Amino acid sequence: MIEIKQLQVSIGGSRILRGVDLTVPSGAVTCLIGRNGVGKTTTLKSIIGILPPLSGVIQFNGKDLRRLSPDQRARMGIGYVPQGREIFPHLTVRENLVIGAIVHQKKISNQLDRVFELFPILKDFLGRPGGMLSGGQQQQLAIARVLITDPQVLILDEPTEGIQPNIIDQIGETIRLLRREGRMSILLVEQYLEFCRELADTFAIMDRGVIVSAGSVDQLSAAVVQEHLTL
């Protein structure tokens, strides 16, 4: 679904990505893990078009993305939930959901029912401003706002950060359901190893702007964690 080869990105003159190779298989969950500041979010922002690469290839379904704008990439089916959620706090829950569909010029009736099945609490808060929701509820809203556009790839940047345990469980169940359905690929940046082990099919570990280990999730052994992730 997504193929990245030798991706190099600089920010403010500092080289952040130094030749990243990453594959996100179709219909699978891929977990990108690593310590803080190694380039995970930069990789995601390069995929969605916010950060231009110095060199390298980013392909989506075999199509080169490098000359496409972020909105063109989104309309192709790349959905992104950023770290920190970035909902519209002064818009209601319903308005937050609808605005994503309007941008994609899609009807939302069927998709609204679907996101309410995944996140029932949102249906109770449709008229409430997004900024009045708890952090966990805002995260659910951010994910629902992307799912309502029916993406082919769902990219999540640390969806469990600062979230209460019961909401983490609900988000995990949603990812598990999407994985079983096999209708979309999921690229997940996550700090919690057990969350990755429970949900992912494949993993990639990043360190200092490169992928240092990758494989099926059953290869994410204690020795690999000790070598690449333990401080």
Side-chain angles (χ1 to χ4, degrees):
M1 184 65 71
I2 292 178
E3 187 78 26
I4 298 174
K5 298 178 182 178
Q6 288 300 297
L7 182 66
Q8 299 196 45
V9 175
S10 289
I11 301 176
S14 298
R15 188 69 57 89
I16 306 299
L17 302 185
R18 304 171 181 272
V20 170
D21 294 314
L22 178 66
T23 298
V24 179
S26 179
V29 178
T30 299
C31 192
L32 179 60
I33 50 183
R35 303 181 184 95
N36 289 331
V38 298
K40 303 186 301 296
T41 296
T42 298
T43 301
L44 302 189
K45 289 183 175 180
S46 299
I47 294 172
I48 65 171
I50 293 177
L51 292 175
L54 292 173
S55 62
V57 175
I58 305 174
Q59 291 184 332
F60 174 62
N61 279 334
K63 184 176 177 115
D64 191 343
L65 296 180
R66 287 173 295 178
R67 295 186 179 181
L68 299 182
S69 64
D71 63 294
Q72 289 174 316
R73 300 183 196 201
R75 289 189 177 94
M76 288 175 65
I78 299 177
Y80 175 55
V81 181
Q83 189 177 19
R85 300 174 282 279
E86 297 184 12
I87 63 161
F88 297 104
H90 300 298
L91 298 183
T92 66
V93 167
R94 182 180 182 85
E95 289 167 341
N96 268 277
L97 293 172
V98 169
I99 199 167
I102 290 173
V103 169
H104 286 77
Q105 299 178 339
K106 292 188 176 183
K107 296 180 180 180
I108 67 169
S109 54
N110 293 336
Q111 294 301 327
L112 267 180
D113 291 339
R114 176 167 170 77
V115 298
F116 293 152
E117 289 176 6
L118 297 173
F119 303 116
I121 194 66
L122 297 180
K123 189 172 185 179
D124 298 331
F125 292 155
L126 279 176
R128 183 173 297 188
M132 294 183 63
L133 303 182
S134 70
Q137 291 163 353
Q138 289 184 19
Q139 185 65 278
Q140 291 178 86
L141 175 57
I143 297 172
R145 186 176 59 184
V146 172
L147 289 178
I148 211 168
T149 68
D150 197 22
Q152 294 184 53
V153 173
L154 175 63
I155 299 176
L156 302 167
D157 195 352
E158 299 203 22
T160 67
E161 183 181 34
I163 304 300
Q164 55 266 45
N166 65 313
I167 302 294
I168 291 175
D169 290 342
Q170 291 179 30
I171 291 172
E173 281 302 315
T174 297
I175 294 173
R176 194 173 286 112
L177 173 62
L178 296 173
R179 176 191 180 195
R180 286 199 302 267
E181 290 177 347
R183 293 171 49 194
M184 67 180 67
S185 301
I186 299 175
L187 175 57
L188 170 69
V189 166
E190 185 51 65
Q191 295 285 357
Y192 294 124
L193 283 176
E194 290 311 310
F195 193 78
C196 289
R197 284 193 172 107
E198 290 175 5
L199 299 173
D201 299 289
T202 63
F203 77 94
I205 298 177
M206 178 171 281
D207 190 22
R208 299 179 184 180
V210 297
I211 301 298
V212 293
S213 182
S216 62
V217 76
D218 57 6
Q219 295 174 302
L220 186 55
S221 64
V224 171
V225 171
Q226 177 70 29
E227 181 179 0
H228 298 296
L229 296 173
T230 303
L231 296 176

